[in-house]
Amino acid sequence: MGLELNERIIIPDDNGDEVLFEVLLTFDIDETKKSYVFLTEVNEVASREDDEEVDVYAFRYEMGDDEDLSFFDIESDEEWEMVEEMFHTLVDEDDLY
């Protein structure tokens, strides 16, 4: 089972502090068998003004056999361009903003 839309997850930051994120979008690439997620920080979304933009974080993720999530940075320019293009396509289709 993958991540669900609006699901909330905790990811430690660089200092080890727990940060609460909400799943904005997910998608899979069948050819590569990779899954991607777009997250927003819950506290940032809650404190923003109506016209203020929020940061969106993108990761590749894997679900382990024990249903533990592992997140990976998107490192190559090619992969990043594909993820960014998919984000814009999904945002336009779902009219999220």
Side-chain angles (χ1 to χ4, degrees):
M1 180 175 170
L3 290 169
E4 300 292 327
L5 186 65
N6 298 323
E7 181 176 347
R8 291 187 173 193
I9 56 175
I10 296 172
I11 301 175
D13 66 11
D14 293 336
N15 299 322
D17 298 323
E18 293 182 344
V19 181
L20 183 62
F21 288 89
E22 186 170 326
V23 175
L24 181 62
L25 295 167
T26 64
F27 71 97
D28 300 314
I29 302 296
D30 293 333
E31 299 83 35
T32 63
K33 296 186 168 91
K34 292 183 180 179
S35 299
Y36 297 89
V37 61
F38 297 101
L39 305 170
T40 56
E41 190 175 335
V42 171
N43 290 338
E44 182 180 346
V45 173
S47 65
R48 77 179 176 102
E49 300 293 324
D50 287 337
D51 60 344
E52 190 177 6
E53 293 182 6
V54 296
D55 292 327
V56 176
Y57 302 90
F59 295 96
R60 182 173 59 81
Y61 76 94
E62 294 177 3
M63 183 76 71
D65 292 335
D66 53 2
E67 296 200 22
D68 281 344
L69 286 170
S70 296
F71 292 94
F72 304 92
D73 289 331
I74 298 168
E75 296 179 352
S76 75
D77 290 340
E78 180 181 283
E79 186 177 26
W80 181 252
E81 288 173 12
M82 181 270 309
V83 169
E84 187 174 35
E85 182 178 322
M86 183 61 76
F87 175 75
H88 291 294
T89 299
L90 293 171
V91 167
D92 288 344
E93 285 178 5
D94 290 343
D95 197 26
L96 293 174
Y97 292 98

